[in-house]
Amino acid sequence: MTIRNWFKFAFRALIIGGVVTGLMSLIVRWGDFYAQHFSNGEWGEAFLGLLWFVLLGFTMSMVCQMGYFAYLTVHQIGVNICRSLTLWNWVQILLMFVALLDVILFRFKPYAYSASDWLLYIGLLIVLIAAAILTAMKKVKMTGKKHILISALFFMIFVSIIEWLIALWVRTSGGNEYITLLLFPILAVNAFQLLELPKYNAKSAEDLKKREERRAARRELEEKNNKNAKHK
């Protein structure tokens, strides 16, 4: 990928993370944050709070970008170690189930004090799995390659959970605000990366081809000019 296209790709992912986090903060933190400031006429504080959530989204976007490129490396290593895409797919399925069990037993269960907590946690897992399935199916449809379904699911579930651990570790006094808030930018940025990176790679290949054609044309012109100069 060329530097220009990488910058465009990273910048779009950054904007997606910031916008989604900012919008979700208006929903998740309205009752305990925004409504209080608005009712007191504290518009500046409310705006600064929104800006802070946008910056938090930028941070999560960068975490997701590092996670995606790390996954690309791990995926290639996994295929080489297993020496079979089928075996590697089974390993990925196992890791997905382990990650989901870890979230349920060690991240959710100790903090589920009521039925409403369990409803929230189950709802978040449904959102995670549904987003993963929809994104993976879209990826298969775009590429026409059915064998990438498991890899796409693995990235959207396992890698997203690893990135989500930041929110699972940082629990506020209310308990679940950041867990809910940060899941959505993680899923949005990861879905964008998974679906859009091939387009940027293709654009980079096209740009490199055009660059080589321009260089070849320039060399041909220089050679032609040199021949004309010798004849004179």
Side-chain angles (χ1 to χ4, degrees):
M1 183 185 293
T2 62
I3 297 296
R4 178 184 299 178
N5 285 302
W6 174 81
F7 180 80
K8 291 179 180 179
F9 176 78
F11 182 74
R12 283 189 65 188
L14 199 70
I15 294 300
I16 290 172
V19 170
V20 172
T21 306
L23 292 176
M24 287 304 303
S25 74
L26 293 173
I27 299 173
V28 176
R29 300 300 304 275
W30 179 264
D32 66 331
F33 181 78
Y34 290 105
Q36 179 181 354
H37 289 303
F38 285 144
S39 63
N40 296 331
E42 299 170 342
W43 302 98
E45 287 78 357
F47 175 76
L48 289 176
L50 177 61
L51 180 61
W52 187 88
F53 284 117
V54 171
L55 293 176
L56 178 61
F58 289 163
T59 302
M60 292 308 302
S61 176
M62 289 187 286
V63 170
C64 291
Q65 291 182 54
M66 290 187 290
Y68 183 48
F69 287 101
Y71 163 73
L72 294 177
T73 302
V74 170
H75 175 73
Q76 190 60 47
I77 294 174
V79 173
N80 292 335
I81 292 177
C82 295
R83 297 186 179 181
S84 168
L85 183 59
T86 301
L87 179 57
W88 173 236
N89 283 341
W90 280 110
V91 172
Q92 291 181 102
I93 291 172
L94 176 61
L95 290 175
M96 279 190 283
F97 279 110
V98 170
L100 289 170
L101 286 175
D102 176 81
V103 168
I104 294 171
L105 297 178
F106 301 107
R107 316 299 171 181
F108 288 165
K109 186 178 178 181
Y111 299 93
Y113 302 114
S114 64
S116 61
D117 288 334
W118 275 117
L119 287 175
L120 173 63
Y121 296 152
I122 292 172
L124 293 176
L125 285 179
I126 290 174
V127 170
L128 170 66
I129 295 171
I133 292 173
L134 291 174
T135 304
M137 291 175 63
K138 179 67 174 178
K139 181 71 173 181
V140 171
K141 185 177 180 180
M142 288 174 59
T143 60
K145 301 176 181 178
K146 294 183 179 180
H147 66 272
I148 68 173
L149 177 66
I150 300 300
S151 295
L153 285 173
F154 177 79
F155 172 70
M156 289 299 299
I157 293 177
F158 182 86
V159 178
S160 293
I161 287 176
I162 297 299
E163 295 159 354
W164 197 23
L165 288 177
I166 296 174
L168 295 173
W169 284 332
V170 183
R171 290 177 181 268
T172 62
S173 57
N176 299 314
E177 289 86 352
Y178 284 92
I179 294 174
T180 305
L181 177 63
L182 295 183
L183 174 63
F184 292 90
I186 289 172
L187 293 177
V189 173
N190 282 344
F192 166 77
Q193 292 184 114
L194 189 64
L195 298 177
E196 295 296 318
L197 181 63
K199 296 180 181 179
Y200 285 88
N201 286 334
K203 185 64 170 59
S204 296
E206 182 181 345
D207 292 344
L208 290 173
K209 182 179 179 181
K210 290 180 179 179
R211 186 184 302 174
E212 290 299 323
E213 290 176 349
R214 288 195 297 268
R215 289 177 179 174
R218 193 180 301 118
R219 286 195 297 267
E220 184 178 349
L221 180 61
E222 291 175 354
E223 291 176 358
K224 185 177 181 180
N225 291 335
N226 290 334
K227 289 181 180 179
N228 291 337
K230 288 181 180 179
H231 288 309
K232 292 180 180 179

